[in-house]
Amino acid sequence: MKTFDLPSNSNYGDQPIPIAFPDNWDVHISKIHGYDTPALTEAQIAEKIHAAIGAKPISEGAAGKKSAVIIIDDITRPTPCEPIAKAVIAELRAAGVPKENIWFIIALGTHGVMYRTEFVRKLGEEIVENYEVHNHNLFFNHVFVGNTSNNVPVEINADVMSADYKIAIGTTMAHSYYGFSGGAKCILPGVSSLRTIMRNHSFTTTTEFNMGNPHTLMRSDAEQAARMMGLDFKIDAILNGHAQICNLFAGDFEAEIQHAAAYAAEHYAAKFVPDCDVVIANNYFKPAEANCAYTPEVIASLKDGGSFVLAANSPFGPCVHFLYDKWGHSAPGGMMWSGCYTKGKNMAHAVVFAEHTVKGMRDPWYIDEHSGAEYVKTWNDALRILDDGTPKKVVLYPNARAAFGTVEPDTMRRLAALEGSDFAGVIANNLAQFGYASPLPVFGGLGLNVTNPMSAAEYVCLGARGLLVQPETALTAMRAVAPRQKDGTPVPTAALCYGHLPLMLTRACPLRNVHDCASCRGGGTLRDRKGRDFTVTCSAPGGEGIRTVYNPVTL
């Protein structure tokens, strides 16, 4: 039997779990490109921190400062903070900052607090014994530093703000809200107030998919917040497939994240394997938020009627989250609770392979048991469900949480197969879609936000055969917006004149508290406290569809 050591137990010994496959399974192991990149030594880590990008080294930048705070990510994140923190402390001591005036703040955001054993797992016994370590409090003790350009009030942990010099440590990998983790994300949400985080997170939904796209409103807010509060130095690690630091970028938070994100885009890319009978998505880096590996990127590998396995093994168990947690079966859930991820309608089985879970509490962070997910504690138990004796094509993504760049090739392959059919073309709602819609004609949709002649002309240069302008554009202005080809030929331009505009797309169903997916006929209605009805439609009733929520006010 073919075997593989499944990366597991992040921050808890990092011991892999050996798994074996039946001989008649055709197994593809799709590792991230940087899976086996050698780990840096502690000396190399210190060198990279000192070689700051866009900023003075800490030993120079902190010279003359009386105090310093070191912000680190929490136990739900895979960053090995201890060797980085030791190098940072050495730089601060070289700058003359007194040892007793250096402290650590855990950037919890809206996560639950950490305890001493977890402090030691992140920082090591020596640092915990000799330096102050505090959890971030998202409810109290903040300093208001201003509003972002998106009108988000920025309130930051007071103990962070009281330090003369501010440093943060984290990891860069693809992130569905911010494009990439790292950079300013340690500040917002990391050490911000609940009010700040809720306003910032209102710019997205729990299923918005911006993996690899750094140009989001949420990241823009975070960077403005970090600049306003005075973040002096940021360090972002790149991890190999074994959660070891294999590269590192440090310096000014905006300068270093550009380098880190560019490197991460190649490092974490994985080969896409289509038409599989079984897809195994292993969330090694963030097992507490296992459903971060239950994404379109990996689900796209599964053929209709196949089985999906979500693996997430860590003694920590499921995450505690004040925004997105369920918080009981009779309560409305966290402050921004919007339902659980469900078993896809096209799946024969949705298996969750996780030894350490909490019944009920696990539903928001894995796959909802009530939708048909089957929970097992061992790989042999999973095989009893999956192996019926027939040959199977199988793909295993060992680092599915970090892997991205897999779904675009599948989309291009599917679109290319339509060439010569009766389809008139493809509607593009963002810039990325222009790149992989070829060879079919591309038409610009509402998502392009066409409101002026300059943007319309640019989309035509990118290949748009027609455009849909924003409905708020005045009729007289539409004539000016309508573009022309270089030879003067008018480009068909249209506008929605009547109907209900889409407010949001979401994979988690907002109707889950009204009825379950099994009995859904394709949507329903949500009524707000003012009596307004929001129509909800689903592209594939039964679990794996995309839901659209429409504005109740007609044009």
Coordinates of all heavy atoms in Angstrom, one line a residue, residues 80-112:
P80 N 6.3 29.8 14.0 CA 7.2 29.4 15.1 C 7.9 30.7 15.6 O 8.9 31.2 15.1 CB 8.3 28.5 14.4 CG 7.7 28.2 13.0 CD 6.8 29.4 12.7
C81 N 7.3 31.3 16.6 CA 7.7 32.7 17.0 C 9.0 32.7 17.8 O 9.6 33.7 17.9 CB 6.5 33.3 17.8 SG 5.1 33.8 16.8
E82 N 9.3 31.6 18.5 CA 10.4 31.7 19.4 C 11.7 32.1 18.8 O 12.4 33.1 19.3 CB 10.6 30.3 20.1 CG 11.7 30.3 21.2 CD 11.8 29.0 21.9 OE1 11.1 28.0 21.5 OE2 12.6 28.9 22.8
P83 N 12.2 31.5 17.7 CA 13.5 31.9 17.2 C 13.5 33.4 16.7 O 14.5 34.1 16.7 CB 13.8 30.9 16.1 CG 12.5 30.4 15.7 CD 11.7 30.4 17.0
I84 N 12.3 33.8 16.1 CA 12.2 35.2 15.7 C 12.2 36.1 16.9 O 12.9 37.2 16.8 CB 10.9 35.4 14.9 CG1 10.9 34.4 13.7 CG2 10.7 36.8 14.4 CD1 9.6 34.4 12.9
A85 N 11.5 35.8 17.9 CA 11.4 36.7 19.1 C 12.8 36.8 19.8 O 13.1 37.9 20.2 CB 10.4 36.1 20.1
K86 N 13.6 35.7 19.8 CA 14.9 35.8 20.4 C 15.8 36.8 19.6 O 16.5 37.6 20.2 CB 15.5 34.4 20.4 CG 14.9 33.5 21.5 CD 15.6 32.1 21.5 CE 15.1 31.3 22.6 NZ 15.8 29.9 22.6
A87 N 15.7 36.7 18.3 CA 16.5 37.6 17.4 C 16.0 39.1 17.6 O 16.9 40.0 17.7 CB 16.4 37.2 16.0
V88 N 14.7 39.3 17.8 CA 14.2 40.6 18.0 C 14.7 41.2 19.3 O 15.1 42.4 19.4 CB 12.7 40.6 17.9 CG1 12.1 42.0 18.4 CG2 12.2 40.3 16.5
I89 N 14.6 40.4 20.4 CA 15.1 40.8 21.7 C 16.5 41.2 21.7 O 16.9 42.2 22.2 CB 14.8 39.7 22.8 CG1 13.3 39.5 23.0 CG2 15.5 40.0 24.1 CD1 13.0 38.3 23.9
A90 N 17.3 40.4 21.0 CA 18.8 40.7 20.8 C 19.0 42.1 20.2 O 19.8 42.9 20.6 CB 19.5 39.6 20.1
E91 N 18.2 42.4 19.1 CA 18.3 43.7 18.4 C 17.8 44.8 19.4 O 18.5 45.9 19.4 CB 17.4 43.6 17.2 CG 17.9 42.8 16.0 CD 18.7 43.6 15.1 OE1 18.6 44.8 15.0 OE2 19.5 42.9 14.3
L92 N 16.8 44.6 20.1 CA 16.3 45.6 21.0 C 17.3 45.9 22.2 O 17.5 47.1 22.5 CB 15.0 45.2 21.7 CG 13.7 45.3 20.7 CD1 12.5 44.6 21.4 CD2 13.4 46.7 20.3
R93 N 17.9 44.9 22.7 CA 18.9 45.0 23.7 C 20.1 45.8 23.2 O 20.7 46.6 23.8 CB 19.3 43.7 24.3 CG 18.2 42.9 24.9 CD 17.6 43.6 26.2 NE 18.6 43.5 27.3 CZ 19.1 44.5 27.9 NH1 18.8 45.7 27.5 NH2 20.0 44.3 28.9
A94 N 20.5 45.5 21.9 CA 21.6 46.2 21.3 C 21.3 47.6 21.1 O 22.2 48.5 21.1 CB 21.9 45.5 19.9
A95 N 20.0 48.0 20.9 CA 19.6 49.4 20.8 C 19.5 50.1 22.1 O 19.4 51.3 22.1 CB 18.2 49.4 20.1
G96 N 19.7 49.3 23.2 CA 19.7 49.9 24.5 C 18.3 50.0 25.2 O 18.2 50.6 26.3
V97 N 17.3 49.2 24.7 CA 16.0 49.2 25.4 C 16.1 48.3 26.6 O 16.6 47.1 26.5 CB 14.9 48.6 24.4 CG1 13.6 48.6 25.1 CG2 14.9 49.5 23.1
P98 N 15.8 48.7 27.8 CA 15.9 47.9 29.0 C 15.1 46.6 28.9 O 13.9 46.7 28.4 CB 15.4 48.8 30.1 CG 15.5 50.2 29.5 CD 15.3 50.1 28.1
K99 N 15.6 45.6 29.4 CA 14.9 44.3 29.3 C 13.5 44.4 30.0 O 12.6 43.8 29.5 CB 15.8 43.2 30.0 CG 15.1 41.8 30.2 CD 16.0 40.9 30.9 CE 15.3 39.6 31.2 NZ 16.1 38.6 32.0
E100 N 13.5 45.1 31.1 CA 12.2 45.1 31.9 C 11.1 46.0 31.1 O 10.0 46.0 31.5 CB 12.4 45.7 33.3 CG 13.0 47.1 33.3 CD 14.5 47.1 33.3 OE1 15.1 46.1 32.9 OE2 15.1 48.2 33.7
N101 N 11.5 46.7 30.1 CA 10.6 47.5 29.3 C 10.3 46.9 28.0 O 9.9 47.6 27.1 CB 11.2 48.9 29.2 CG 11.2 49.7 30.5 OD1 10.6 49.3 31.5 ND2 11.9 50.8 30.5
I102 N 10.5 45.6 27.8 CA 10.1 44.9 26.6 C 8.9 43.9 27.0 O 9.1 43.1 28.0 CB 11.3 44.1 26.0 CG1 12.4 45.1 25.7 CG2 10.8 43.3 24.8 CD1 13.7 44.3 25.3
W103 N 7.8 44.0 26.3 CA 6.7 43.1 26.6 C 6.1 42.6 25.3 O 6.3 43.1 24.3 CB 5.7 43.7 27.5 CG 5.0 45.0 27.0 CD1 3.9 45.0 26.2 CD2 5.4 46.3 27.2 NE1 3.5 46.3 25.9 CE2 4.4 47.1 26.5 CE3 6.4 46.9 27.9 CZ2 4.5 48.5 26.5 CZ3 6.5 48.3 27.9 CH2 5.6 49.1 27.2
F104 N 5.3 41.5 25.5 CA 4.6 40.8 24.4 C 3.1 41.0 24.5 O 2.6 40.9 25.6 CB 5.0 39.3 24.3 CG 6.4 39.0 23.9 CD1 7.4 39.1 24.8 CD2 6.7 38.7 22.6 CE1 8.7 38.8 24.5 CE2 8.0 38.4 22.2 CZ 9.0 38.4 23.2
I105 N 2.5 41.2 23.4 CA 1.0 41.2 23.3 C 0.6 40.1 22.2 O 1.1 40.1 21.1 CB 0.4 42.6 22.9 CG1 0.8 43.6 23.9 CG2 -1.1 42.5 22.6 CD1 0.0 43.5 25.2
I106 N -0.3 39.3 22.6 CA -0.8 38.2 21.7 C -1.9 38.9 20.8 O -2.9 39.3 21.3 CB -1.4 37.0 22.4 CG1 -0.4 36.5 23.5 CG2 -1.7 35.9 21.4 CD1 0.9 36.0 22.9
A107 N -1.7 38.9 19.5 CA -2.7 39.5 18.6 C -3.9 38.5 18.4 O -4.0 37.8 17.4 CB -2.0 39.8 17.3
L108 N -4.8 38.5 19.3 CA -5.9 37.5 19.3 C -7.0 37.9 18.3 O -7.8 37.1 17.8 CB -6.6 37.4 20.7 CG -5.7 36.8 21.8 CD1 -6.3 37.0 23.1 CD2 -5.4 35.3 21.5
G109 N -7.1 39.2 17.9 CA -8.2 39.7 17.2 C -9.5 39.4 17.9 O -9.7 39.8 19.0
T110 N -10.4 38.5 17.4 CA -11.6 38.1 18.1 C -11.6 36.7 18.5 O -12.6 36.1 18.7 CB -12.8 38.4 17.2 OG1 -12.7 37.7 15.9 CG2 -13.1 39.9 16.9
H111 N -10.4 36.1 18.6 CA -10.2 34.7 19.0 C -10.3 34.7 20.6 O -10.1 35.7 21.3 CB -8.9 34.1 18.6 CG -8.8 34.0 17.1 ND1 -7.7 33.6 16.4 CD2 -9.8 34.1 16.1 CE1 -7.9 33.5 15.1 NE2 -9.1 33.8 14.9
G112 N -10.5 33.4 21.1 CA -10.4 33.2 22.5 C -9.0 33.4 23.1 O -8.0 33.4 22.3

